[in-house]
Structure formats: C-alpha cells, structure tokens
Amino acid sequence: MGMYSEYSDSELIELLKSGDRFAFTEIYNRYWSVLYAQVYKMLRDEDEAKDVIQEIFSKLWINAAAIKSSHNLGGLLYTAARNKVLNSIEKSRVRHDYAKSITAFISETDPDTIDKLDEKRLSKIIEREIQSLPPKMREIFELSRKENLSHKEIAEKLNLSDQTVKKQVQNALKIIRPRIEQIGFSLAILIIFR
C-alpha cells in the first residue's frame, strides 16, 4: 500500500479505472480531509459535510471507468463537491425566486462573491436565508427589498419608528451577507484548485 502514495493522480486514475481498490483508498486518503474542510465551511454541519464527501467518493468508485486520464483529479473532486453542496443548499429550504428583488440585493453584495455563483443559484440561496429570518425582520426586509419601500414608508405602514426599521434591515443584512460571502469564498477556494 505504501507505494501508492508515490503515484501521481494520473497514475491513480488509471489504476482506479481498472478497479484497483488500493488506488481508490489512496485517492480517498489524499483528498478526504481537504474536501471535508471545504464542504464543512460551506454547510457548517459535520454530518451533512460527511454525507456529501461520502457520496462524492462513492460516485467516484462507481463511475471510475468513465473518468478520462487527462482529468485533473483534484479539480474533478472539488467541482463535484461544489456542485453537490450547491444542490444540497438548494434542496434544503428553497421557497420562491425573487428575480427582481434579488438583483437589488446583489448590488449590495461583494461583486467577487457574485462572480462565483450563477444568479439563479444565488437567488435561491438568498431566498432561503431571507425565509430563515425572524418573521418581523423578514417582513421589514422584504418590504425594503421586494417592494423597494423606504425606511420611512415601511415605518408608517407597520406603525414603527424609522430607527426600528433601519435597525431591522441592518440586522437582516448582518445575518444574510456573511452566509452568502462565506459560500462565495469557499467556492472561490474550490475554483482556484480546479
């Protein structure tokens, strides 16, 4: 088993394609912890991150024959992890697609983050985060972003002070923005190593 650690990724792919379990074990040992760290950063859930990694390696074994020798193994695994995480995030709590309101929200988010995700997936992720806000905060935030009401208009509509509305919008952004930036940063790391 020791000699497998000396093989390049390309050599391991060739061995894996022929059903070599030791090559698979070497790939697993070589990439598990790095993939897990990145997936955990995005999901913040140990069990879910482990499930994602398990599924990636299971599919690698099952689909080994279809892997091209020229594939960058690290890139292949990182891409699979990124896509699996995005799919997992989408499936978990997606509600509605606010295409126009998301555009306004996106304009306030770091452009480097936006470049890392396509707009459709980002919209779904942001919507999930909005839906997870406390009810009153969510209502104020949606009035601000969906209906483009000013803080004063929201305050009048909900019988609140301007300051309360402003603080609720700021708090909503403090909750949502780090999650979106965290996902974007993690994806940037995955993309760099492709």
Side-chain angles (χ1 to χ4, degrees):
M1 181 66 192
M3 69 179 189
Y4 281 83
S5 63
E6 297 171 12
Y7 288 149
S8 69
D9 284 358
S10 299
E11 291 169 318
L12 289 172
I13 289 173
E14 283 306 311
L15 292 167
L16 178 65
K17 288 172 69 169
S18 67
D20 189 319
R21 292 180 185 274
F22 292 114
F24 176 80
T25 302
E26 176 59 30
I27 292 168
Y28 183 89
N29 291 337
R30 194 175 285 186
Y31 285 99
W32 189 92
S33 61
V34 175
L35 286 173
Y36 174 78
Q38 294 308 317
V39 170
Y40 177 76
K41 281 182 190 175
M42 290 186 274
L43 295 176
R44 295 286 182 208
D45 182 301
E46 287 182 25
D47 291 334
E48 192 174 355
K50 287 177 184 174
D51 288 346
V52 166
I53 300 303
Q54 181 66 34
E55 189 170 335
I56 288 166
F57 281 107
S58 294
K59 286 186 177 182
L60 178 69
W61 176 255
I62 292 166
N63 300 318
I67 300 171
K68 294 179 182 165
S69 301
S70 61
H71 266 126
N72 170 345
L73 182 57
L76 181 73
L77 293 171
Y78 287 118
T79 300
R82 179 192 65 209
N83 291 337
K84 183 68 183 152
V85 166
L86 288 174
N87 289 338
S88 177
I89 290 170
E90 283 181 83
K91 288 176 186 174
S92 63
R93 289 177 286 184
V94 175
R95 303 283 191 268
H96 304 291
D97 189 1
Y98 293 143
K100 290 182 183 178
S101 66
I102 295 308
T103 304
F105 182 77
I106 287 171
S107 68
E108 294 182 22
T109 306
D110 181 5
D112 291 337
T113 302
I114 304 307
D115 291 341
K116 305 303 179 250
L117 300 169
D118 63 41
E119 191 169 321
K120 183 178 177 187
R121 283 186 172 181
L122 181 61
S123 296
K124 289 179 180 180
I125 293 167
I126 292 172
E127 176 56 24
R128 186 204 67 207
E129 294 303 317
I130 291 170
Q131 292 302 316
S132 71
L133 293 171
K136 193 55 138 180
M137 184 184 294
R138 182 176 67 233
E139 180 183 14
I140 292 169
F141 187 78
E142 288 177 334
L143 288 171
S144 171
R145 293 305 187 260
K146 276 178 61 181
E147 298 182 25
N148 293 318
L149 297 180
S150 69
H151 292 169
K152 184 174 182 159
E153 291 168 325
I154 296 169
E156 289 172 5
K157 183 172 184 165
L158 299 179
N159 222 8
L160 299 168
S161 72
D162 291 1
Q163 205 51 32
T164 299
V165 170
K166 181 179 179 182
K167 190 69 176 162
Q168 288 290 327
V169 170
Q170 288 173 344
N171 288 341
L173 288 171
K174 282 180 186 174
I175 292 168
I176 295 170
R177 193 174 276 140
R179 176 68 175 150
I180 303 306
E181 289 172 354
Q182 167 204 353
I183 291 167
F185 176 73
S186 297
L187 288 178
I189 290 171
L190 292 179
I191 289 166
I192 287 167
F193 288 104
R194 263 202 294 187

